[in-house]
Amino acid sequence: MTTTEDTSTMSAECAVAHQPGYAYLHRECRQTKDVPLPGGGGILLVPRCNCPHHRYSSPG
């Protein structure tokens, strides 16, 4: 990995997109919403991708 950014909470697409030549994969990320566990009382089955590339992650 060429960056020191923690990619462990990113989607697979965004984690790979941080590698040189793969930036186009940010467009393929579909993990943009939290998916709760049905009846799980607030437990997430799949958390949204926290990649700073997504608009919802940008400050402002």
Side-chain angles (χ1 to χ4, degrees):
M1 174 127 329
T2 58
T3 65
T4 58
E5 187 166 8
D6 179 16
T7 59
S8 65
T9 58
M10 293 181 191
S11 68
E13 294 84 1
C14 286
V16 173
H18 282 80
Q19 297 297 314
Y22 292 95
Y24 66 91
L25 285 175
H26 283 294
R27 293 187 307 264
E28 301 299 318
C29 180
R30 300 295 180 253
Q31 200 171 316
T32 57
K33 294 181 182 178
D34 289 334
V35 178
L37 185 65
I43 297 173
L44 294 178
L45 180 62
V46 180
R48 70 181 181 182
C49 176
N50 75 342
C51 178
H53 181 265
H54 297 297
R55 279 183 256 162
Y56 60 73
S57 297
S58 301

